[in-house]
Amino acid sequence: MKKLALYWKILLGMVFGVLIGLLFTYFEGGKEIIQDWIKPFGKIFINSLKLIAIPLILAALIKGVSDLKDISKLSQMGGKTIGIYIGTTIIAVTIGLTLVNFVNPGQSINESTRLEMVENYSGNTEKYKAEAKIQKDTGPLQALEDIVPENIFSAATSNRNMLQIIFFAVFFGIALILIPEEKGKTVKNFFDGFNEVILKMVDLIMLAAPYGVFALLAALIVESPSLDLFKALGWYAITVVFGLLLMISIYVLIVAVFTKKKPMFFMRGISPAQLLAFSTSSSAATLPVTMERVTEHLGVEEEVASFVLPIGATINMDGTSLYQAVAAVFIAQAFGMDLDFSTQLGIIATATLASIGSAAVPGAGMVMLVGVLGYAGIPEAGLALIFAVDRPLDMCRTMVNVTGDAAVAMLVAKSVGKLGDPYAKSWDDNYEMP
Ligand code: ASP
């Protein structure tokens, strides 16, 4: 029998997770059984992915940068990467804004539903506002200051410090290029080997992926709020999801046009990472898998992927920025506010920055949304309106965040002549477009 492809296995895990979750909500004590006996396996799975995120970035980036052997190549690739990342983010926010103005989902929320939701979720809103305030109370250059850690070992103790680790790794890699090859050889070989080991760990963890996502989704279902709330927010959720789907089609199109790879090639190659992003709601936790898929299934050479992807997981969040634009305007609509054109233009800028600043972890986009609301003078209490559906939307936007990183990795690889054909040896299909 033909072996089932990984994405089918993960998809099956997800479907069973949802079904078992639904089943267990129907009888008393079912929720607790899932929480006590199934949920921990999901947590273990996510932890095992997070566990290797920092070592992976360190090893992959040091190897990637030092492989370039030339500083000018690095700055060329760095410029392209950041430029394309910002470009795709602006496209995403613009799509979000256009859709939300067109669909006008805020109109479907009546006065009493709005009051009820603000009442129900006000506690959560306060929590998010407090988190956002910590970020806001700092100076304009704080983000830049934060990139340079004062101690690499303490920086490496938290997955939230990815940019600091990236900074250290790139710096280390550059220095490695600059010393005589003979002297750097041992260090380079060490990181090459280290990188291989981490990639093997990703392979091994992925064997457990179908079971991991099963546990994650079963737990999510038994813990999700009532269906009624979802209904009230239907149009808002549909607008976000439709925008996200549009964004995925744009990636597919850009990849097809610029790299001449067929849509199926791209979607098939990246799908396990997408499903994992959906199940974990974290681009950081998905990074090891994104890296593996992009290098081994999409043909991006390692030195490009190991540079472009960790940076993308941290700063390129197209799904998040699109969602932030829709959410901000939706809340304004629900409160009966009219946002003028210049405020909406400002939302493009703030949502772009807010998505860059969002950590690659579940719910981070909502924390940074507070900044966008603050800029546009939209009541922060409105966060309570979107709270109920935030988790499912987080799952969808994370999927888009990861897809965007992969698409940009392919574009950058193509532009520097580092895009190969991974299937040439093992597949019969010719995925190359004429
Ligand atoms: N969960 C998202 C990610 O990790 C960030 C967010 O939008 O909350 O990519």
Side-chain angles (χ1 to χ4, degrees), residues 162-184:
M162 287 225 191
L163 273 184
Q164 301 190 340
I165 305 297
I166 289 173
F167 173 80
F168 176 82
V170 173
F171 198 10
F172 191 99
I174 290 175
L176 194 52
I177 297 178
L178 294 176
I179 63 172
E181 208 177 321
E182 192 46 39
K183 293 224 163 107

Side-chain angles (χ1 to χ4, degrees), residues 281-284 317 320 323 358-366 394 397-398 401:
S281 276
S282 167
S283 336
M317 303 216 177
T320 301
Y323 141 86
S358 301
V361 295
M366 195 162 183
D394 191 3
R397 64 190 189 241
T398 308
N401 291 345

Side-chain angles (χ1 to χ4, degrees), residues 192-386:
D192 282 359
F194 195 87
N195 195 37
E196 287 297 319
V197 174
I198 301 282
L199 289 178
K200 186 41 88 191
M201 288 172 85
V202 177
D203 280 348
L204 296 176
I205 294 171
M206 282 311 278
L207 295 178
Y211 309 100
V213 297
F214 162 78
L216 286 170
L217 286 187
L220 208 70
I221 293 288
V222 293
E223 289 172 353
S224 69
S226 83
L227 271 180
D228 294 345
L229 277 175
F230 284 101
K231 277 190 211 137
L233 294 169
W235 279 111
Y236 157 69
I238 288 173
T239 313
V240 175
V241 171
F242 185 67
L244 294 176
L245 286 175
L246 221 58
M247 206 52 215
I248 295 210
S249 342
I250 290 181
Y251 296 136
V252 169
L253 194 75
I254 298 180
V255 167
V257 170
F258 290 101
T259 70
K260 303 275 179 286
K261 298 284 183 194
K262 278 186 179 171
M264 267 314 276
F265 168 84
F266 177 62
M267 290 306 281
R268 243 190 227 204
I270 195 63
S271 54
Q274 288 176 322
L275 296 177
L276 219 63
F278 183 82
S279 312
T280 61
S281 276
S282 167
S283 336
T286 314
L287 178 63
V289 181
T290 318
M291 202 93 124
E292 193 256 353
R293 299 306 298 183
V294 166
T295 47
E296 282 171 30
H297 299 261
L298 293 178
V300 175
E301 285 189 21
E302 228 177 281
E303 59 188 74
V304 176
S306 53
F307 178 79
V308 177
L309 292 175
I311 296 180
T314 331
I315 68 164
N316 183 48
M317 303 216 177
D318 300 342
T320 301
S321 65
L322 186 148
Y323 141 86
Q324 285 169 336
V326 176
V329 178
F330 166 73
I331 294 172
Q333 289 169 350
F335 278 91
M337 288 173 68
D338 232 352
L339 299 177
D340 58 20
F341 188 65
S342 71
T343 312
Q344 303 230 12
L345 275 188
I347 290 181
I348 297 193
T350 42
T352 302
L353 291 175
S355 70
I356 291 176
S358 301
V361 295
M366 195 162 183
V367 175
M368 296 304 281
L369 175 62
V370 177
V372 183
L373 297 181
Y375 153 78
I378 302 166
E380 284 161 354
L383 279 186
L385 294 183
I386 55 169

